[in-house]
Amino acid sequence: MDDIATNSSDAPGPGRVVLRRLKTRPQFLACQKAQARPSGSVLLQMRDRQDGDPAIGVGFTATKKIGGAVVRNRAKRRLREAARLLLPTHALPGHDYVLIARQSLTERPWPRLLDDVKTALIRLAADKQPLT
């Protein structure tokens, strides 16, 4: 899998978050069977890999329902940038995330899109925490 750098340093160090792209169908299908949370223009799926690797896996999906190739590519570009900004601070280490574009994503104002992704990440993390 490709690593996505979250800072200018090439060498992994303490406090550095590594994002890895999900690329194969089995990775996406595994996330599909796990927790999911809709939030505005995004559906976010999360699964705990339970492999001891602290890297965060991330994948992006935009179906033909939201439009042609140009619209789908624009939606995925927006999702990639939102993930790059928010996953290092709000995602749980050792988990895979799939961000799925919904119909209104391409027209959604950027601050509202960031809020949708952040809300879904926080809710999924809260669902994962055991009640005390």
Side-chain angles (χ1 to χ4, degrees):
M1 288 189 277
D2 292 342
D3 289 350
I4 302 168
T6 57
N7 63 17
S8 60
S9 172
D10 290 335
R16 180 166 188 254
V17 176
V18 176
L19 299 178
R20 291 195 178 137
R21 290 288 300 271
L22 303 180
K23 293 186 175 184
T24 64
R25 182 171 168 78
Q27 292 171 324
F28 282 85
L29 292 176
C31 283
Q32 183 181 13
K33 295 176 185 174
Q35 292 179 307
R37 175 68 69 172
S39 180
S41 60
V42 176
L43 173 68
L44 186 66
Q45 299 172 337
M46 176 187 82
R47 104 176 158 104
D48 187 353
R49 285 192 316 270
Q50 299 178 346
D51 62 0
D53 183 9
I56 298 169
V58 61
F60 309 96
T61 301
T63 66
K64 287 186 178 182
K65 287 181 186 179
I66 69 164
V70 173
V71 175
R72 291 194 310 270
N73 288 337
R74 180 167 189 234
K76 287 191 279 187
R77 280 195 309 270
R78 295 184 88 201
L79 287 175
R80 279 193 296 269
E81 183 60 17
R84 187 187 68 80
L85 293 173
L86 296 173
L87 286 180
T89 55
H90 296 288
L92 299 173
H95 288 69
D96 288 341
Y97 293 88
V98 175
L99 286 84
I100 301 172
R102 295 174 93 184
Q103 194 81 33
S104 62
L105 185 118
T106 54
E107 291 88 29
R108 192 83 156 176
W110 181 244
R112 298 239 359 239
L113 173 61
L114 288 177
D115 189 47
D116 290 346
V117 175
K118 184 177 177 181
T119 301
L121 284 167
I122 291 170
R123 286 183 180 168
L124 281 172
D127 291 346
K128 176 95 173 136
Q129 300 299 323
L131 296 174
T132 56

